[in-house]
Amino acid sequence: MVILYTFISEDKHQDLVCRYLNTFSEAFKNKILKYRRWQDAQLSLLGRVLLRHGLKSYYNIEDAEIGFLSGHKPFLKEHNIYFNISHSKNLVACAISDFPVGIDVEFSDPSINYQDFKFQMTPAEFENVDGSADKINTFFTYWTEKEAVIKAHGDGMMIPLDSFEILHNECSIDGKKFFTKKVFIDEQYLSCIASNDPVIKTKEIILDKFSM
């Protein structure tokens, strides 16, 4: 399993657009050009660049076609390789594996008021965050774990965050078990991967920082 990541840069934006945008489909190109903020455009573009680079470098796959499941989760057509992309603030990451995977990264924003998200936590989760010595870190740990599981599940916003709890890196949704694993990418961010395959607990992870 590999997790590729990089950080966006305004100075490199035009060069990245010129270098990569025309190498993708017209539909994806139009999507990127619709963004008003350079940050959003570059995060989306680099997510796809990381995926392409990872597939070619680690799985010898070129020009893979992406499809979408009913829950809008993307997948690779004609390949038993799975991927998931996440970004937050300046960081974008792409997880690629031979088993289903979800990844979430979040900037550990010290200005966040975790109490605004109380309705998205179970009582036990809120008590754990509220009683923590480092409330911000505990909150974003909770958030990345939940989001990674939801992305691994594939049903997106159809699953309320307060409808399940993660205990000892495991949880159950509609009778289906999921497993989580924290990943360190950068000290300013929290990140987590999740899967319905327990192999995630012991699988070696290659971290690859992509140079633009």
Side-chain angles (χ1 to χ4, degrees):
M1 176 179 184
V2 60
I3 297 177
L4 302 100
Y5 69 96
T6 192
F7 295 88
I8 60 173
S9 167
E10 185 173 10
D11 292 341
K12 297 180 180 180
H13 183 66
Q14 196 56 48
D15 177 64
L16 290 170
V17 169
C18 292
R19 193 190 325 170
Y20 293 115
L21 191 57
N22 286 329
T23 67
F24 292 100
S25 68
E26 283 299 313
F28 183 72
K29 179 180 176 179
N30 291 334
K31 174 188 174 182
I32 297 299
L33 294 175
K34 286 180 180 179
Y35 286 113
R36 295 185 177 182
R37 299 172 68 245
W38 72 266
Q39 294 95 329
D40 298 326
Q42 192 175 134
L43 285 168
S44 185
L45 176 60
L46 284 176
R48 193 65 69 86
V49 170
L50 291 178
L51 173 61
R52 175 185 284 176
H53 175 73
L55 289 174
K56 181 178 180 180
S57 300
Y58 293 93
Y59 296 92
N60 197 30
I61 296 175
E62 296 192 51
D63 300 322
E65 185 178 355
I66 297 175
F68 293 89
L69 301 174
S70 58
H72 302 293
K73 183 178 181 179
F75 72 97
L76 294 182
K77 294 183 177 181
E78 301 180 357
H79 295 284
N80 292 321
I81 298 296
Y82 303 85
F83 75 94
N84 199 231
I85 297 170
S86 180
H87 53 75
S88 178
K89 198 173 181 179
N90 296 327
L91 171 67
V92 56
C94 176
I96 309 175
S97 181
D98 55 1
F99 56 87
V101 65
I103 184 172
D104 189 60
V105 298
E106 298 289 342
F107 172 65
S108 186
D109 186 352
S111 68
I112 200 78
N113 184 355
Y114 69 91
Q115 294 186 351
D116 292 341
F117 300 88
K118 183 178 180 179
F119 72 99
Q120 293 181 299
M121 305 183 208
T122 66
E125 287 168 342
F126 181 78
E127 183 178 343
N128 183 43
V129 173
D130 195 50
S132 172
D134 189 342
K135 295 178 174 58
I136 298 300
N137 183 277
T138 304
F139 168 75
F140 280 110
T141 297
Y142 146 81
W143 194 268
T144 55
E145 287 179 331
K146 287 293 190 78
E147 289 288 342
V149 167
I150 286 176
K151 295 177 75 176
H153 186 282
D155 273 356
M157 298 304 292
M158 298 297 292
I159 306 173
L161 288 176
D162 64 346
S163 66
F164 64 97
E165 284 188 358
I166 299 171
L167 297 174
H168 307 297
N169 299 316
E170 297 184 10
C171 68
S172 179
I173 300 176
D174 297 328
K176 191 173 186 178
K177 292 197 72 173
F178 289 86
F179 308 88
T180 65
K181 188 174 186 177
K182 298 180 183 66
V183 179
F184 178 81
I185 296 178
D186 183 87
E187 61 183 10
Q188 291 187 299
Y189 295 80
L190 275 296
S191 55
C192 183
I193 53 174
S195 179
N196 60 357
D197 192 327
V199 71
I200 196 173
K201 296 189 291 185
T202 55
K203 191 75 170 181
E204 179 185 0
I205 299 173
I206 299 172
L207 281 176
D208 184 352
K209 185 176 182 180
F210 180 73
S211 298
M212 295 185 291

